[in-house]
């Protein structure tokens, strides 16, 4: 299979200033797309836009809070002004608070839901007309293994399960428009979100993942580019795990390790 190509394509990546989003944005730009990188962190996203342009790539940076409908209206107007519609929307922005249910305040719950769920709902709703203009087109929503199994953070878990359902429902609604909608479900990825986790988090996660390691952001970006490309032309409403075997057998893997430790005592 040849590398997906995005020459003359217009792509928008949310949460693109850093972490997974920045790697996805760079990969689309290298593949020939005009990338609209959008993020709440205005200075960081503008710096990324400049650095991509300095490399001779096509990139425009935008300040966007995905939870703010007025911000989406501005972003869509700016992409529309560039004149090529929108071939791909990657709803990547996401946050996590890492708190158990009893320590989660209503405002924390609301913020996680508004960024992780409403942010994707608004993105799909406001970008639909641009995606129709460019059809066949594609949306890739970034969920998590926390949208397949449970994470010990109920607001994050509920939000990522919601992304999975929202994706399937949108896939049905948009199929007549020739817009494919799929979700990706990574396990731990080496990004600032993971590096900010409490001590021991990465080691404990590695012990649960049969492949014994976190993903590199480019390994997840590969799948996003695939889902956005014509190579995935018959895929819509799919949930694609990229998790080193975690959801397939993380429990059996951990049991085997603990059992071996017990036997060696
Ligand atoms: P990150 O924190 O490293 O980067 C997230 C980016 O999103 C940042 O640039 C941030 O400024 C931006 N952002 C946050 N809130 C925003 C908002 N309201 N509007 C616009 N931009 C906003 O996180 P990451 O690890 O790169 O995560 C990217 C996506 O991958 C998220 O949806 C996350 O839930 C998902 N994910 C991450 C992991 C992991 O282990 N890192 C695993 C599975 C899924």
């Amino acid at each position: 299979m040849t590398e997906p190509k995005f020459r003359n394509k217009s792509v928008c990546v949310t949460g693109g200033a850093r972490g997974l989003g920045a790697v996805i944005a760079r990969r689309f730009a290298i593949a020939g797309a005009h990338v609209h990188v959008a993020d709440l962190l205005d200075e960081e996203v503008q710096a990324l836009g400049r650095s991509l342009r300095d490399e001779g790539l096509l990139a425009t940076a935008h300040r966007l809070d995905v939870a703010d409908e007025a911000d989406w209206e501005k972003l869509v107007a700016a992409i529309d002004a560039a004149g090529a519609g929108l071939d791909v929307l990657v709803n990547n922005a996401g946050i996590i608070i890492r708190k158990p249910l009893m320590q989660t305040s209503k405002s924390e719950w609301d913020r996680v839901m508004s960024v992780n769920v409403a942010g994707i709902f608004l993105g799909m709703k406001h970008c639909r007309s641009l995606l129709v203009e460019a059809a066949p087109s594609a949306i890739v929503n970034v969920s998590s293994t926390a949208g397949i199994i449970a994470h010990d953070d109920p607001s994050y878990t509920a939000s990522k399960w919601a992304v999975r359902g929202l994706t399937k429902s949108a896939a049905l609604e948009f199929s007549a428009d020739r817009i494919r909608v799929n979700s990706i479900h990574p396990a731990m990825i080496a990004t600032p979100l993971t590096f900010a986790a409490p001590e021991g988090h990465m080691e404990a996660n590695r012990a649960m993942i049969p492949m014994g390691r976190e993903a590199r952001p480019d390994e997840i970006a590969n799948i996003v580019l695939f889902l956005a490309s014509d190579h995935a032309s018959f895929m819509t409403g799919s949930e694609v795990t990229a998790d080193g075997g975690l959801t397939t057998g993380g429990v059996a893997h951990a049991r085997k390790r603990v059992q071996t430790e017990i036997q060696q005592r």
Side-chain angles (χ1 to χ4, degrees):
M1 192 170 73
T2 52
E3 242 332 74
K5 299 272 192 298
F6 292 91
R7 201 161 302 286
N8 299 322
K9 304 279 186 193
S10 165
V11 175
C12 176
V13 182
T14 72
R18 65 181 183 200
L20 177 61
V23 174
I24 293 171
R26 178 174 294 277
R27 288 288 303 281
F28 273 112
I30 290 169
H34 178 173
V35 181
H36 294 273
V37 205
D39 203 288
L40 197 52
L41 302 172
D42 197 24
E43 273 179 35
E44 281 188 43
V45 79
Q46 298 298 339
L48 177 67
R50 278 193 300 278
S51 104
L52 293 173
R53 289 193 296 275
D54 288 348
E55 291 174 46
L57 302 170
L58 267 172
T60 307
H62 307 263
R63 191 220 163 259
L64 168 81
D65 179 350
V66 292
D68 185 333
E69 194 153 21
D71 276 8
W72 275 109
E73 283 164 3
K74 277 187 234 153
L75 175 65
V76 165
I79 297 174
D80 195 23
L86 186 65
D87 296 277
V88 178
L89 170 65
V90 182
N91 284 309
N92 164 77
I95 56 171
I96 187 166
I97 59 166
R98 298 191 195 283
K99 285 190 178 178
L101 188 146
M102 293 305 289
Q103 285 167 28
T104 302
S105 68
K106 175 68 166 48
S107 64
E108 287 169 329
W109 172 271
D110 287 345
R111 184 62 186 159
V112 172
M113 289 298 162
S114 66
V115 174
N116 294 7
V117 187
I120 293 183
F121 156 69
L122 291 173
M124 296 197 292
K125 183 172 179 176
H126 285 276
C127 291
R128 179 188 163 273
S129 59
L130 290 175
L131 289 156
V132 167
E133 197 181 320
S137 49
I139 298 172
V140 181
N141 293 329
V142 179
S143 177
S144 165
T145 48
I148 303 283
I149 53 177
H151 193 288
D152 54 348
D153 177 332
S155 63
Y156 190 72
T157 302
S159 73
K160 293 300 186 179
W161 278 69
V163 172
R164 182 175 162 204
L166 178 59
T167 299
K168 290 182 191 302
S169 193
L172 297 184
E173 185 169 331
F174 288 177
S175 59
D177 296 325
R178 297 191 303 147
I179 304 168
R180 295 182 300 100
V181 193
N182 294 290
S183 59
I184 178 162
H185 300 261
M188 180 171 64
I189 317 166
T191 67
L193 180 144
T194 300
F195 303 143
E199 199 187 345
H201 172 88
M202 290 188 73
E203 291 76 359
N205 261 342
R206 284 185 194 117
M208 296 295 293
I209 295 172
M211 284 180 70
R213 66 172 177 86
E214 63 275 30
R216 298 186 311 273
D218 65 284
E219 292 177 299
I220 306 303
N222 282 338
I223 301 161
V224 172
L225 266 76
F226 165 74
L227 288 172
S229 78
D230 289 344
H231 291 312
S233 55
F234 200 53
M235 288 180 77
T236 197
S238 297
E239 54 197 53
V240 179
T241 53
D243 65 359
L246 177 66
T247 55
T248 297
V251 172
H253 176 73
R255 182 194 23 80
K256 199 169 152 195
R257 188 174 42 74
V258 173
Q259 201 176 339
T260 308
E261 281 168 19
I262 291 167
Q263 285 163 358
Q264 285 170 353
R265 271 182 208 158

